[in-house]
Amino acid sequence: MPVSKYFSSSLHSVYNKNARQYSSSHKNTTNAHDINDQFTDWETLNKKKSISKPMKAYLERAREHDDFMKKQQIEYNIGKRHLTNMMGEDPETFTQRDVDRAIEYLFPSGIYDPAARPLMKPPEEVFPARKAAEFDEAGRPHHFLFYTGKPNFFQLLFDAAEHLENLHKFEDKVLRNKAIPEQKSKLDLSSGVWVSKDQLEIMLVETISDLEYDNFKLVMERLVSTPYSYRCIDFIEKFRKPLASQKFALEIPKPSFDEEGRAYITTYECLRKKARGDVTIHSPGTGKIIINGKDITYFEDIQSREQVIFPLIFTGLQNRVDVECNIEGGGPSGQAGAIRWGIAWGLRSFVDKSMLESMQVAGLLTRDHRRRERKKPGQPGARKKPTWKRR
Amino acid sequence: MSLFIKHYRPGSIFKKQILWRLNSSVAENHESEEEFRVLDILKKRDKQQKRVARRIDVPADRAEKMSTDQNWGNVWPGPRSFHPSTVPLPIRQGFVPKGQVPPGKKANAELMKIPNFLHLTPPVIKTQCEAIKKFCTEWPKLLNSEEAIEKHYPVEVITSDYCHASPTIRNPLARVVTLRVKLSTLNLDKHAKDKLLRLVGDHYDEKTDLITLTADRCPMRRQNLDYVNYLLTACYHEAWTVEDWEKEKMEADMEYYDWNNNQSKKNLVNWYHKCINKDIALSEDEYKSFDTSVIDHGEEYKLAVSSLFNDGEREETINNYDTAVRKLLGLPERKPIE
Amino acid sequence: MLSRNIRYACRRYSHAVTFRTTESSPTQQTDNQFGLFYTVNKDLCKQLYGHGGLPKSYMKQSKTFAETAIMVRRPALDIINCIKATDLNKPAIRYVLYGEDGTGKSMTIAHLLHYAFEEGYLIVHVPWVSDWLRRVLRHKEMANSLTREGLVDLPLDAAAWLLHFKTQNQHLLKSPEFIVSKEYVWSKREKTEAGAPLHELVELGIARVKYACDVVDAIVNEVKLLSNSKKCKTFVAVDGYNGFFNPLTRLKTPTKKKVAPEEVTLTTSILELTKNDWTNAVMVLSADSIANPDDDTKNYLPQHLLYRKGFDHLDPFVPVKVDRYTDREFLTCANYYRDRLWIRGPLDMETELKLTSACNPFKFMEQCAPL
């Protein structure tokens, strides 16, 4: 019996040796011995499949995509050089904006939608982002959360959870030492919103459902509301977008001075419905309002007049500024709305910050983009439908 | 997956041909080793192979072979529809839903539809200008300011050309011709000026002193230009001729207000007479020849009324009239509103 | 309770000081009363404005407020000063009030009527010209004029106006100086003797509507004669004078032919009246763009409204501008409304109202109505 065991074990060892040999050799190059062995041993051939065909296909595709992108990049660069040569410009100082302008010059299309016009952009802008090969040749995924289906998204949640734990630990440590660090307060994130679902999708290169997005927001809120969250501010800031009012402070224009030394500011492009115009506000003034050369009696109805004087009364500057405006187009309501926006926009430069915020809350500073809706065929109006009959 | 091993020689590396595959895109040496060798006595596979159509070898694009420092003007000398193999730019056009890529330049009808200016790139324009320069003379040095231009060339002719993305180059608006001339440059005397203004009517702008004549009644631009020139000459000559019926011009037709001939003077004179208790009736001529300096503040009144009519009715003219009348009638001055 | 009453009384008093004046006689009003309201006696009101003279919306307001209060404003004071300074032996001076719609021309005329009444003038007042020429009810009583060929009569209007004339000048017509100078024969049986009192003529006109227009004509002549002979001084007031010079009226003859203002006998009478060939008179006319409603340009200047004919007829005249409220006047008006409990609410409302109404008195009144 021991002889048979030895024999079987030696046999097995032979098999194993072969198997090991076979599995270690992934390369295409084979030597005669191996081939002979393989061909002779049909079972081993069947058993030892190193890379499955789908796997191979996938890897091939990933490689192809990389090659393709490289080729596109080369093409784009060459194309850019051709373009500079055509336009007689210097290729070193040719930015993407110059490229766009040149394309517009060469191919003037009257198409309304900018997305439908000819474009020449670097391939990373044109082609949607795709993930690189997510698993190696053996089929082992690179990312530890690959099998969730959305590794980046769950990685994000995982990071947030980790930060949360760290903060709790830190808090415990502090309590144990009974020491109070400087910034105990939670972060004040009133002036900002969380990144929107589309932007998050772009950041993660993955599609996420609404439920998951809400979940994400909940997690971030929880993180923010824990004490000592200032320690993770970098992580949080990545997913935070500032609100419009912060942008405001950067954009308020400074008034210029005319001959008499009065400060004045002009807002162009005041639009509402179909009215277009511009408004000039002179700062030390007496409360005069001049519209197209006429007094406020330019508007005959009370509502239009109210619209025009509302920003002045709201800020309390009605007797301290002069208003002069020119408008054309549209009707009384549209013109009045345009002037009101123009006055409010101009008053930004003469008003302090708290009043500015209250103006924004009052809706004086938002441009009203509503336009007349088109009447649809088969219906009497834009929304009105013919009488509904049950049968 | 079927695999066929064509030649088998022990100890040599042999070619494998994969003819029909499911998933992978490239011939894999490994796979051929694992598949079952199908016995092919009648050599059917070879025959099938031969029936497969040969792909015709397309030569590479001209665009691939272009160098980046060529002369583009030679490549694209004239207006031509877009040809993808000749244009070396990786340009894309097309509206696609989100996530997709706009189609490339090969076989892109949109790009072909758009008019292109590849034949008029800036270097080409420069060479063209250089070529034309030898047929041009210099801009006269003395015409260096607006006033000089107006002095020597007072007549301005304005025409418009149109270009748009459609198969035709014709545009009906291109036949419109506008002629602008300043009235002060046509040396006219009083009567001629008045008559010309009446003839021209609305086409005269008082603020800028311009007569603007627009012609679009003929189908060709040259015809409209001739017509507009004709109009100007005709009006000018008509303005100088004096017709017989013009002598019948009445006070009501006068374009300006002459106080002497008017009712206002009569009123004043009558009033004056009443004041001094003289009740006489004067005839027309006596009214006209009456000397107003006799009446106190009469001159002022006359000026005020004339300005009221000639300069148009405005707050200030009315105020002047007011002060003049008050002085005339001996009333106290109007006090300003506090 | 007592303290509350006192507080009310104090408030009333303090308000009264700022917007009211007790000087209710226009002759005595000077610049001190500028911008303040004064009340007109009720009976006087009825007498002077019984048949028109105050704007309709104002009448409604005065009924609500249970008093007629007129604001003393610059134009009225101006004209009063001028009248005081004129030499009445000279030919009559004509004042033309002009201004934007709703600034108070009719109110100024009302104020001046009160003044004229106090001073003992004989008042010839046409409350609103468009009533005659444009207010066409279903069927306007029109007749072809008897004494004048081709002209149209408005008998009912003339009779109404005679009644108005009578009520305004009741006290003066009783005096024995007002007598007719010549004889008027109306028909075979009716005639007015020379030397008969004027009011008899008036009553005849009211009674015999058929001859009312001619009676008006006669009265115009008589008044002129009387003024020239210094027996009385006349105050002529016409509101909407430019209506006489409008190219068209709304009247149509029974043959559907449109009537021009010159073809109406009443027009000729009033035009005759407003000539400046007689002494001892003052004439206040108003040029209102409401009287020319077909004109869309918002031009309120007198020369434009009177057309060439009117201007020539009236020249030389004194144009008097009736303007919108100044800040002070606006405040007094607002206080008055508050006192009458017409406006309630925070004081900020006043700034808003000021801007929206653009200090136009009429608009201000309109906008306070729903508050």
Side-chain angles (χ1 to χ4, degrees):
Chain A
M1 287 296 92
V3 176
S4 63
K5 256 197 230 161
Y6 174 75
F7 182 64
S8 62
S9 67
S10 64
L11 260 176
H12 273 292
S13 61
V14 164
Y15 279 140
N16 287 343
K17 232 196 303 170
N18 279 347
R20 253 180 269 124
Q21 261 186 346
Y22 190 74
S23 61
S24 60
S25 65
H26 301 290
K27 324 177 265 296
N28 277 343
T29 52
T30 52
N31 51 20
H33 251 298
D34 278 357
I35 291 168
N36 282 334
D37 281 354
Q38 281 152 37
F39 272 114
T40 45
D41 203 348
W42 189 244
E43 282 181 61
T44 45
L45 265 174
N46 270 342
K47 251 194 256 178
K48 278 94 187 175
K49 279 202 190 145
S50 56
I51 314 173
S52 68
K53 286 189 204 69
M55 179 77 62
K56 278 189 221 161
Y58 175 82
L59 287 173
E60 225 15 85
R61 249 180 289 136
R63 217 190 46 189
E64 262 182 23
H65 181 72
D66 287 331
D67 292 339
F68 176 71
M69 291 301 282
K70 282 199 205 96
K71 202 170 73 152
Q72 291 290 312
Q73 183 69 36
I74 295 170
E75 258 189 43
Y76 173 75
N77 287 334
I78 296 178
K80 211 163 112 169
R81 291 196 93 92
H82 274 292
L83 190 61
T84 51
N85 172 41
M86 271 200 258
M87 303 296 283
E89 306 251 1
D90 180 22
E92 311 301 324
T93 58
F94 211 57
T95 60
Q96 182 55 39
R97 268 189 64 188
D98 295 327
V99 170
D100 291 334
R101 260 201 300 223
I103 294 290
E104 243 195 89
Y105 173 86
L106 290 173
F107 301 96
S109 93
I111 299 176
Y112 176 78
D113 194 349
R117 292 187 201 145
L119 50 84
M120 187 167 123
K121 296 248 195 297
E124 49 271 7
E125 280 183 34
V126 175
F127 293 90
R130 243 170 85 158
K131 286 197 198 158
E134 294 173 62
F135 40 84
D136 57 9
E137 290 161 349
R140 285 155 126 238
H142 296 297
H143 203 285
F144 73 104
L145 288 172
F146 172 75
Y147 288 107
T148 56
K150 301 181 192 182
N152 287 347
F153 176 68
F154 286 102
Q155 166 87 51
L156 177 63
L157 293 182
F158 183 78
D159 285 336
E162 196 178 333
H163 281 297
L164 208 59
E165 276 230 19
N166 288 342
L167 288 182
H168 284 320
K169 281 197 203 141
F170 181 74
E171 193 182 350
D172 291 337
K173 203 165 72 178
V174 162
L175 283 172
R176 254 180 275 130
N177 297 348
K178 293 193 176 57
I180 305 166
E182 338 81 57
Q183 262 179 304
K184 204 176 175 186
S185 56
K186 298 166 195 167
L187 290 177
D188 172 38
L189 295 171
S190 56
S191 58
V193 271
W194 292 115
V195 146
S196 75
K197 183 159 163 280
D198 293 318
Q199 281 159 337
L200 193 61
E201 280 185 0
I202 292 172
M203 276 169 72
L204 301 175
V205 198
E206 281 163 8
T207 46
I208 38 178
S209 72
D210 285 329
L211 203 60
E212 287 166 352
Y213 175 68
D214 292 331
N215 214 8
F216 158 75
K217 276 208 286 201
L218 275 169
V219 167
M220 296 305 283
E221 291 288 329
R222 170 115 187 266
L223 182 62
V224 163
S225 56
T226 40
Y228 308 109
S229 47
Y230 65 88
R231 290 164 68 90
C232 317
I233 192 165
D234 296 323
F235 175 70
I236 296 169
E237 283 299 318
K238 267 192 282 177
F239 302 101
R240 205 69 190 162
K241 258 186 30 163
L243 254 191
S245 65
Q246 280 186 351
K247 288 186 205 160
F248 267 2
L250 308 163
E251 291 171 358
I252 296 180
K254 293 239 166 42
S256 27
F257 291 85
D258 64 357
E259 311 91 41
E260 293 147 33
R262 303 201 299 176
Y264 74 96
I265 191 120
T266 324
T267 340
Y268 297 103
E269 289 184 7
C270 307
L271 350 143
R272 169 95 218 275
K273 280 189 182 184
K274 290 240 176 170
R276 303 282 178 268
D278 55 86
V279 175
T280 315
I281 303 186
H282 294 271
S283 169
T286 50
K288 278 195 293 202
I289 303 178
I290 300 179
I291 306 173
N292 276 4
K294 285 204 328 208
D295 207 359
I296 197 168
T297 36
Y298 176 81
F299 292 119
E300 266 145 24
D301 54 321
I302 306 178
Q303 192 203 357
S304 306
R305 291 189 194 174
E306 285 277 343
Q307 291 273 307
V308 165
I309 62 175
F310 175 55
L312 297 172
I313 292 184
F314 186 79
T315 52
L317 292 175
Q318 74 259 30
N319 287 327
R320 298 218 290 270
V321 286
D322 278 345
V323 175
E324 191 190 325
C325 36
N326 302 306
I327 14 147
E328 48 188 19
S333 168
Q335 287 184 342
I339 296 178
R340 168 184 139 157
W341 183 82
I343 294 179
W345 202 249
L347 284 177
R348 282 185 308 164
S349 330
F350 300 111
V351 137
D352 62 335
K353 203 159 172 228
S354 60
M355 181 56 86
L356 190 72
E357 281 171 14
S358 55
M359 277 217 306
Q360 214 212 338
V361 168
L364 279 171
L365 298 172
T366 32
R367 259 225 182 110
D368 196 336
H369 274 285
R370 296 178 289 178
R371 302 272 177 265
R372 208 187 114 226
E373 201 176 310
R374 183 206 142 173
K375 173 199 176 303
K376 282 94 186 174
Q379 291 175 16
R383 296 284 173 100
K384 183 176 178 189
K385 316 272 188 288
T387 351
W388 180 76
K389 296 190 164 56
R390 194 179 286 276
R391 55 187 66 84
Chain B
M1 269 260 272
S2 70
L3 204 52
F4 177 67
I5 302 171
K6 195 164 185 235
H7 306 288
Y8 168 60
R9 281 189 296 278
S12 64
I13 302 170
F14 42 84
K15 298 177 262 192
K16 287 127 195 133
Q17 294 178 15
I18 298 175
L19 301 169
W20 181 62
R21 42 186 205 271
L22 258 181
N23 283 336
S24 76
S25 51
V26 163
E28 287 274 337
N29 288 342
H30 284 285
E31 278 171 21
S32 54
E33 295 157 4
E34 296 162 15
E35 290 297 314
F36 188 69
R37 287 172 291 163
V38 178
L39 184 60
D40 180 41
I41 297 172
L42 299 169
K43 311 238 184 327
K44 284 221 175 76
R45 286 276 169 171
D46 286 338
K47 290 195 192 116
Q48 274 180 15
Q49 254 186 311
K50 279 178 196 143
R51 262 190 244 129
V52 168
R54 287 233 146 225
R55 208 185 284 168
I56 305 165
D57 278 328
V58 180
D61 281 345
R62 185 175 159 196
E64 315 285 341
K65 298 186 207 134
M66 285 180 186
S67 68
T68 48
D69 50 2
Q70 67 185 340
N71 185 357
W72 179 253
N74 292 335
V75 181
W76 208 276
R80 189 190 167 196
S81 322
F82 183 79
H83 191 90
S85 326
T86 322
V87 177
L89 308 170
I91 191 168
R92 291 175 180 273
Q93 185 184 5
F95 187 84
V96 285
K98 189 176 143 178
Q100 288 188 30
V101 181
K105 64 176 176 174
K106 295 271 165 105
N108 192 335
E110 296 289 329
L111 277 169
M112 281 195 258
K113 281 195 271 186
I114 287 175
N116 63 66
F117 280 96
L118 292 160
H119 59 289
L120 286 178
T121 57
V124 167
I125 294 179
K126 250 189 236 157
T127 44
Q128 285 179 356
C129 289
E130 295 295 325
I132 296 176
K133 249 196 188 144
K134 63 176 190 253
F135 298 111
C136 300
T137 54
E138 262 181 40
W139 183 261
K141 281 195 212 70
L142 293 174
L143 281 184
N144 46 10
S145 65
E146 280 294 321
E147 292 90 26
I149 296 176
E150 263 180 37
K151 193 170 98 164
H152 294 283
Y153 295 94
V155 175
E156 217 181 306
V157 173
I158 302 167
T159 48
S160 230
D161 288 301
Y162 299 82
C163 141
H164 39 84
S166 91
T168 56
I169 58 167
R170 313 281 166 210
N171 188 325
L173 288 174
R175 71 184 199 282
V176 170
V177 172
T178 310
L179 186 132
R180 281 210 312 227
V181 73
K182 266 207 175 165
L183 189 62
S184 41
T185 51
L186 315 158
N187 303 323
L188 302 166
D189 71 349
K190 216 165 63 125
H191 160 264
K193 184 169 167 189
D194 175 46
K195 193 161 176 196
L196 183 74
L197 283 179
R198 279 178 206 257
L199 282 171
V200 150
D202 253 350
H203 295 278
Y204 175 67
D205 183 11
E206 275 158 4
K207 281 186 219 146
T208 55
D209 194 32
L210 280 175
I211 300 178
T212 314
L213 302 169
T214 313
D216 63 345
R217 51 171 67 185
C218 306
M220 297 302 296
R221 183 188 287 173
R222 212 177 302 176
Q223 296 168 342
N224 280 322
L225 188 63
D226 290 338
Y227 178 62
V228 120
N229 286 329
Y230 156 74
L231 269 182
L232 187 64
T233 6
C235 289
Y236 185 77
H237 287 296
E238 265 304 310
W240 281 102
T241 52
V242 181
E243 302 272 343
D244 289 330
W245 45 260
E246 283 185 37
K247 293 192 194 85
E248 295 165 23
K249 190 173 180 184
M250 304 259 287
E251 186 58 41
D253 300 323
M254 296 293 274
E255 64 275 4
Y256 64 92
Y257 182 81
D258 187 10
W259 189 76
N260 272 328
N261 304 335
N262 260 312
Q263 177 70 26
S264 180
K265 183 165 184 189
K266 288 185 209 150
N267 285 342
L268 181 68
V269 168
N270 284 335
W271 175 82
Y272 175 66
H273 283 304
K274 278 256 161 34
C275 283
I276 50 181
N277 277 328
K278 259 205 270 179
D279 221 353
I280 44 172
L282 301 171
S283 69
E284 283 282 329
D285 296 322
E286 281 174 9
Y287 272 127
K288 283 193 197 167
S289 56
F290 194 87
D291 192 8
T292 43
S293 51
V294 176
I295 313 171
D296 303 327
H297 306 287
E299 286 300 315
E300 220 178 288
Y301 174 76
K302 170 183 169 182
L303 282 170
V305 174
S306 310
S307 87
L308 197 62
F309 276 99
N310 283 334
D311 298 336
E313 197 186 6
R314 282 190 312 272
E315 282 293 332
E316 23 174 320
T317 42
I318 293 247
N319 286 339
N320 286 342
Y321 178 72
D322 185 24
T323 29
V325 169
R326 278 185 195 236
K327 279 205 200 123
L328 187 70
L329 303 174
L331 297 171
E333 285 275 322
R334 184 187 68 238
K335 282 181 230 158
I337 301 176
E338 77 221 34
Chain C
M1 182 70 164
L2 195 63
S3 59
R4 202 178 5 141
N5 280 340
I6 293 175
R7 235 185 291 137
Y8 277 160
C10 290
R11 208 194 303 152
R12 277 287 165 99
Y13 180 70
S14 61
H15 275 257
V17 165
T18 44
F19 68 87
R20 270 196 216 275
T21 171
T22 41
E23 187 58 69
S24 58
S25 160
T27 26
Q28 312 297 329
Q29 279 162 359
T30 57
D31 277 346
N32 291 343
Q33 280 86 25
F34 179 61
L36 304 176
F37 281 91
Y38 82 95
T39 30
V40 182
N41 203 354
K42 271 218 180 88
D43 304 318
L44 197 61
C45 223
K46 245 201 260 180
Q47 183 186 359
L48 284 179
Y49 313 125
H51 296 267
L54 292 176
K56 264 217 291 258
S57 37
Y58 183 79
M59 298 277 275
K60 266 194 275 187
Q61 200 186 56
S62 56
K63 223 195 305 186
T64 325
F65 291 170
E67 63 174 4
T68 323
I70 307 183
M71 192 196 266
V72 177
R73 291 186 76 199
R74 167 70 59 216
L77 283 177
D78 208 9
I79 294 185
I80 291 177
N81 278 337
C82 288
I83 295 175
K84 283 185 194 164
T86 43
D87 176 10
L88 286 172
N89 290 327
K90 284 210 179 153
I93 300 182
R94 293 161 294 194
Y95 303 89
V96 175
L97 296 170
Y98 69 98
E100 288 174 353
D101 287 349
T103 42
K105 298 182 280 291
S106 309
M107 292 304 297
T108 318
I109 287 189
H111 190 179
L112 290 168
L113 271 180
H114 187 197
Y115 169 76
F117 181 75
E118 294 238 325
E119 293 284 308
Y121 281 81
L122 179 73
I123 301 178
V124 183
H125 175 219
V126 179
W128 185 233
V129 167
S130 301
D131 265 349
W132 295 350
L133 299 177
R134 298 188 77 90
R135 177 92 43 83
V136 182
L137 305 164
R138 264 306 192 75
H139 172 67
K140 187 100 166 144
E141 263 281 331
M142 278 195 322
N144 282 323
S145 172
L146 300 166
T147 43
R148 277 183 268 189
E149 283 298 316
L151 295 187
V152 173
D153 243 359
L154 298 168
L156 286 179
D157 288 322
W161 183 79
L162 283 170
L163 189 59
H164 179 60
F165 178 66
K166 194 174 103 167
T167 30
Q168 275 182 333
N169 299 309
Q170 271 169 344
H171 55 289
L172 284 175
L173 286 176
K174 292 196 193 99
S175 74
E177 293 178 335
F178 288 81
I179 47 174
V180 180
S181 59
K182 64 177 195 188
E183 198 192 4
Y184 293 97
V185 180
W186 304 115
S187 69
K188 275 198 219 138
R189 268 172 274 161
E190 293 171 13
K191 62 177 185 182
T192 317
E193 309 287 327
L198 202 63
H199 71 87
E200 202 185 283
L201 196 61
V202 175
E203 262 153 50
L204 177 80
I206 297 171
R208 297 302 313 268
V209 174
K210 192 166 140 193
Y211 303 118
C213 283
D214 298 320
V215 169
V216 168
D217 219 8
I219 287 180
V220 160
N221 282 331
E222 294 305 317
V223 163
K224 275 186 144 174
L225 283 170
L226 286 168
S227 292
N228 265 334
S229 53
K230 292 210 207 313
K231 291 215 184 106
C232 72
K233 42 187 187 171
T234 322
F235 185 87
V236 182
V238 183
D239 203 353
Y241 191 69
N242 52 327
F244 287 135
F245 301 105
N246 212 11
L248 284 177
T249 62
R250 283 229 187 105
L251 304 169
K252 276 193 261 205
T253 59
T255 51
K256 302 276 187 180
K257 186 174 90 94
K258 286 236 179 212
V259 178
E262 302 88 52
E263 294 171 18
V264 180
T265 42
L266 283 173
T267 323
T268 47
S269 318
I270 305 291
L271 285 179
E272 186 63 40
L273 190 64
T274 47
K275 277 200 195 151
N276 64 348
D277 50 0
W278 50 306
T279 58
N280 237 338
V282 179
M283 293 182 246
V284 175
L285 320 159
S286 90
D288 206 340
S289 53
I290 312 175
N292 284 357
D294 303 326
D295 188 11
D296 275 333
T297 63
K298 292 190 205 155
N299 194 348
Y300 54 86
L301 298 170
Q303 192 198 11
H304 174 85
L305 289 173
L306 289 171
Y307 300 98
R308 190 59 189 275
K309 246 186 17 189
F311 186 83
D312 286 337
H313 181 85
L314 285 181
D315 191 39
F317 61 88
V318 180
V320 179
K321 178 142 196 236
V322 183
D323 220 349
R324 302 178 184 168
Y325 280 152
T326 59
D327 291 337
R328 223 178 92 181
E329 287 173 341
F330 184 83
L331 275 172
T332 45
C333 195
N335 279 335
Y336 176 64
Y337 284 157
R338 249 179 221 283
D339 177 61
R340 296 279 109 203
L341 300 178
W342 193 237
I343 318 179
R344 284 166 188 270
L347 287 167
D348 304 336
M349 229 164 51
E350 260 147 48
T351 41
E352 205 177 313
L353 278 171
K354 193 156 137 186
L355 286 169
T356 41
S357 61
C359 290
N360 188 323
F362 183 61
K363 283 268 150 65
F364 183 45
M365 191 166 77
E366 262 186 343
Q367 282 170 11
C368 292
L371 290 174

